[in-house]
Amino acid sequence: MDASSPQNDGVLLLPEVLLLRPSALALPFTAGLGAHFRLLDPLDSPEPARSFLSSRCRAVRALLCLFSPALPVKAETLDLLPSLELVVVSSAGLEHVDLPYCRRRGIAVTNASAAFCEDGADYAVGLLIDVMRRVSHGDRFVRAGSWPVQGELPLGFKLGGKRVGIVGLGSIGSETAKRLASFGCNIAYYSRKERLHVPYTYYANVHDLAANSNILVLCCALTEDTRHIINKDVMSALGNEGIIINVGRGALVDEKELVQRLVRGEIGGAGLDVFEHEPKVPDELFVMDKVVLSPHRAVFTPESLEGVQELIIGNLKAFFSNEPLRSLVQYE
Amino acid sequence: MHVRPPKNSQSKDFLQMEGIGVLMTCPMFPYLEQELEQRFHLHRLWDFPSRRRFLEAHAGSIRAVVGDTKVGADAELIDALPGLEIVATFSVGLDKIDLGRCGEKGIRVTNTPDVLTDDVADIAIALMLGVLRKVCGCDAFVRSGKWKSGDFGLTAKFSGKSVGIVGLGRIGSAIAKRAEAFGCPISYCSRSEKPHVSYKYYPTAAELARHCRILVVACALTEETRRIVGREVLDALGPEGVLINVGRGAHVDEPELVAALLEGRLGGAGLDVYENEPEAAEELFPMDNVVLLPHVGSDTVETSTAMADLVVANLEAHFAGKPLLTPVI
């Protein structure tokens, strides 16, 4: 709402938005949001959450889901919100939202991948070059003073000409493909549906993509269908020299299987920004030079966080003004 | 992922070359050694306790020198080999070869251009991503166990940052093509403005540094480009600026670079080369806004193999009286 909203005794009537967030989190967004919306935050109330929702939120039309909220956006929460029409999500991933349930209720859902797809793609490329060219390995090597003593690092591998399979050609996957094409990589992809007008080869399932790739880059959302989508069969198809880069969610990969293969030399290397049980990382990885490890930072730049806040506010304002939403998730 | 090109087929020329003395100046790549050994009489300089001892024993029989960026062919070596006809370097850089002396004596020189262009350009982008997005810092953070106690923090966005390239040759152009895919505006400086190039030209490195966030050194090392990045350029680049060097250590005034980083006058640096390799300035080791690589610009299996094949092909062509593939002189 803007400055011309009706006032009542000097108090602006801002639209109400229910805020569902993780319990222990410094929130970068809420200061900016408070200027436009009246935030209802169950974690700020002494009342138990379910009671807060049923007593205070019956008229709430919009809900903001931040990161991994203490109350997931699933049936047991949604059933307490009879007026809900919109769920705004701050991430690209939608695993905290029951999409089919929202669809049945006629609730629109927006996500935020447009705000940080460039950063996500940049980081995926950074991890891939690091694995192929031993960048973190080399940096460790020099800092430890090993260069004058031990001579040279083992050779790395060239990017040009390698077949890269992108799993999920959404905004992050598309931006990643565009960047890797400039390095001379051959790009193919798997997506639930084939995309028209993209210059990349399509495979209808991940196994076939892996069989025809040297490298897999995981850019898809975590859903019930994509849990452990990179499983034993897919890893076998990728082959002993294959590389896996994950900037999606840890649970896209059967992590136990991946670690065992890395230990046995049945996979070439991995660049991992996400893990199944963050911040826990399997011990075996700490001594490997053929992996690059990252603490879930692919999209954490100041520009992306500002972009997410701007997109959240944009979607909420559009909703309350009956204008088209900016990043509506299409139900398929 | 290891691509081996087909071996040269046996021929009369091949067999007659077995007696030709070829001197390799230092260990560079086992495959290259094997290929040279199969075709020529290969001498390894490092097998001898000193250069003088080697020369006493074999100087007269050496008709070719294979050098690299560590040990090349200086005037002293050239003068000591009366039968020397050709220097084939396992590099594109020529700064370790006395080209003047070779020219005077009619000695041919070949290098390995083009095959390593992509690899060096890839490393330049890797260094940019490493410095801005702290990929290496994140890896170190996880390996140290610190993630259990807290998050890493934010890093600087790379896409869209302005990139200035010192030297728009093969490697500089390849860097530009990649940076463009990240939405980076490109500018450059060069001995002269290039026609048919859409990037903005600046006549000096300092002017270029004033107008970009990330400055990449990708030019050849010559008398003019020695220490092309000094105090003036570093100050122009500034506390938000990042220096990337995939050229030669001698392109940069290293003590000035270290001081600028220590004092916060420069935002960060990604280095593949140093003034005194393999000794990199130790003051850099604890810094979290630098990425340090041990001169790996072209160090891939694929490119090393292609470079080795080119060295061998140039030598075979020379001794068969055929045109050199990649002559410098």
Side-chain angles (χ1 to χ4, degrees):
Chain A
M1 282 205 163
D2 56 22
S4 61
S5 315
Q7 297 199 21
N8 187 0
D9 293 342
V11 175
L12 282 171
L13 289 175
L14 298 176
E16 285 184 336
V17 175
L18 171 61
L19 174 66
L20 296 185
R21 60 173 174 90
S23 45
L25 181 72
L27 302 172
F29 308 134
T30 48
L33 292 171
H36 305 276
F37 312 105
R38 191 152 78 86
L39 294 177
L40 304 175
D41 186 353
L43 293 179
D44 246 354
S45 160
E47 230 181 310
R50 287 183 62 82
S51 159
F52 181 95
L53 292 185
S54 41
S55 64
R56 306 273 299 278
C57 300
R58 297 202 65 79
V60 162
R61 297 170 60 214
L63 176 167
L64 171 58
C65 171
L66 279 191
F67 303 114
S68 337
L71 282 182
V73 186
K74 312 243 180 194
E76 62 269 24
T77 304
L78 294 167
D79 285 346
L80 300 171
L81 304 166
S83 308
L84 193 68
E85 296 169 44
L86 173 69
V87 170
V88 171
V89 178
S90 69
S91 56
L94 297 160
E95 66 265 31
H96 307 293
V97 178
D98 187 335
L99 275 182
Y101 196 85
C102 289
R103 186 185 191 171
R104 285 200 293 282
R105 279 272 304 267
I107 297 170
V109 178
T110 65
N111 73 355
S113 41
F116 46 65
C117 50
E118 289 184 338
D119 279 328
D122 289 356
Y123 208 77
V125 174
L127 285 174
L128 176 56
I129 312 184
D130 196 323
V131 174
M132 300 280 277
R133 299 299 303 275
R134 305 185 186 280
V135 180
S136 287
H137 183 186
D139 183 74
R140 277 196 292 280
F141 183 77
V142 174
R143 287 177 199 259
S146 303
W147 194 12
V149 176
Q150 285 178 33
E152 290 177 350
L153 279 187
L155 295 174
F157 297 99
K158 188 182 166 106
L159 260 82
K162 295 298 180 301
R163 295 165 299 158
V164 175
I166 312 253
V167 181
L169 204 68
S171 31
I172 296 178
S174 304
E175 292 292 325
T176 302
K178 185 173 95 180
R179 284 152 176 72
L180 289 176
S182 77
F183 289 80
C185 296
N186 297 308
I187 312 288
Y189 73 102
Y190 158 76
S191 212
R192 274 166 310 185
K193 278 202 204 137
E194 188 170 358
R195 306 283 155 128
L196 303 174
H197 315 303
V198 301
Y200 317 124
T201 305
Y202 173 68
Y203 288 93
N205 63 74
V206 181
H207 183 276
D208 288 350
L209 181 68
N212 289 283
S213 299
N214 305 114
I215 297 159
L216 289 180
V217 184
L218 311 184
C219 301
C220 59
L222 179 63
T223 66
E224 271 165 27
D225 296 326
T226 62
R227 180 166 293 274
H228 284 198
I229 193 173
I230 308 304
N231 59 19
K232 186 174 176 164
D233 285 339
V234 170
M235 292 188 225
S236 290
L238 187 60
N240 287 354
E241 296 182 342
I243 306 248
I244 294 177
I245 304 298
N246 192 359
V247 294
R249 286 288 180 270
L252 293 172
V253 177
D254 180 345
E255 194 166 282
K256 267 211 187 89
E257 180 69 25
L258 175 64
V259 171
Q260 279 167 26
R261 281 178 180 256
L262 284 164
V263 169
R264 295 193 303 252
E266 289 165 14
I267 204 149
L272 306 171
D273 184 46
V274 285
F275 302 85
E276 287 206 80
H277 304 288
E278 295 169 18
K280 190 159 165 18
V281 173
D283 288 333
E284 296 91 326
L285 302 182
F286 289 130
V287 297
M288 288 182 187
D289 289 327
K290 61 186 173 180
V291 300
V292 178
L293 308 172
S294 172
H296 202 150
R297 294 284 96 181
V299 302
F300 281 87
T301 66
E303 289 91 340
S304 270
L305 293 186
E306 272 171 43
V308 169
Q309 177 172 275
E310 204 244 316
L311 189 53
I312 287 173
I313 293 174
N315 274 311
L316 286 168
K317 278 184 161 181
F319 171 72
F320 288 115
S321 315
N322 292 317
E323 281 163 17
L325 296 170
R326 287 178 52 185
S327 56
L328 183 64
V329 173
Q330 301 294 343
Y331 292 121
E332 288 171 35
Chain B
M1 280 193 280
H2 177 176
V3 176
R4 296 276 298 259
K7 285 218 194 311
N8 297 314
S9 54
Q10 303 271 345
S11 69
K12 219 162 70 119
D13 297 329
F14 178 98
L15 291 170
Q16 282 172 350
M17 292 184 196
E18 280 183 335
I20 295 174
V22 173
L23 173 66
M24 203 175 189
T25 60
C26 61
M28 12 185 123
F29 186 38
Y31 169 74
L32 176 57
E33 270 180 62
Q34 286 156 30
E35 294 292 293
L36 290 172
E37 187 132 57
Q38 276 176 24
R39 289 160 173 76
F40 307 108
H41 183 182
L42 179 64
H43 301 263
R44 295 172 180 77
L45 187 56
W46 65 97
D47 277 349
F48 290 79
S50 71
R51 188 188 272 207
R52 200 168 58 78
R53 293 283 285 274
F54 167 76
L55 291 170
E56 280 165 13
H58 298 287
S61 68
I62 299 301
R63 293 172 64 188
V65 166
V66 173
D68 75 351
T69 56
K70 297 189 292 292
V71 185
D74 57 15
E76 193 198 337
L77 182 64
I78 293 165
D79 288 345
L81 301 171
L84 183 61
E85 299 168 25
I86 178 167
V87 174
T89 183
F90 184 67
S91 68
V92 69
L94 300 163
D95 44 287
K96 288 282 165 71
I97 299 176
D98 192 325
L99 288 174
R101 191 62 122 244
C102 290
E104 284 162 26
K105 298 188 140 190
I107 294 168
R108 307 302 305 277
V109 177
T110 64
N111 65 349
T112 62
D114 297 323
V115 290
L116 49 65
T117 300
D118 286 336
D119 273 353
V120 178
D122 293 352
I123 281 290
I125 303 292
L127 287 168
M128 292 180 207
L129 284 164
V131 174
L132 272 84
R133 297 302 309 274
K134 294 193 155 68
V135 182
C136 309
C138 281
D139 178 86
F141 181 79
V142 176
R143 283 177 199 258
S144 71
K146 290 187 187 136
W147 194 13
K148 294 186 191 136
S149 322
D151 283 330
F152 184 81
L154 301 183
T155 58
K157 182 170 181 157
F158 170 56
S159 272
K161 292 268 159 56
S162 52
V163 173
I165 306 181
V166 180
L168 201 68
R170 286 174 291 249
I171 294 174
S173 301
I175 294 171
K177 178 176 150 209
R178 285 152 177 73
E180 280 187 301
F182 291 80
C184 299
I186 310 289
S187 49
Y188 72 103
C189 73
S190 201
R191 276 167 303 192
S192 57
E193 192 166 358
K194 311 250 172 191
H196 317 304
V197 158
S198 57
Y199 313 133
K200 177 116 179 72
Y201 172 73
Y202 292 97
T204 66
E207 266 309 288
L208 181 65
R210 257 185 277 288
H211 293 94
C212 68
R213 286 292 295 273
I214 302 170
L215 186 74
V216 190
V217 179
C219 55
L221 181 63
T222 64
E223 276 317 300
E224 292 144 342
T225 62
R226 195 168 290 275
R227 292 203 162 178
I228 191 171
V229 176
R231 175 85 192 226
E232 192 197 350
V233 170
L234 293 170
D235 283 346
L237 201 44
E240 302 288 309
V242 174
L243 176 73
I244 305 291
N245 192 0
V246 293
R248 285 289 178 267
H251 279 126
V252 174
D253 183 335
E254 200 160 293
E256 275 294 342
L257 171 64
V258 170
L261 287 164
L262 283 172
E263 292 161 29
R265 289 183 285 111
L266 181 68
L271 308 173
D272 188 39
V273 287
Y274 310 82
E275 282 194 316
N276 265 330
E277 294 172 22
E279 312 272 348
E282 278 183 12
E283 295 92 323
L284 298 168
F285 294 179
M287 294 183 188
D288 70 352
N289 54 346
V290 303
V291 176
L292 308 171
L293 292 180
H295 203 153
V296 296
S298 58
D299 284 359
T300 64
V301 172
E302 297 89 338
T303 292
S304 295
T305 304
M307 286 166 65
D309 288 341
L310 197 44
V311 166
V312 171
N314 272 302
L315 290 176
E316 286 190 320
H318 171 76
F319 291 114
K322 297 195 179 125
L324 299 177
L325 281 76
T326 49
V328 176
I329 49 171

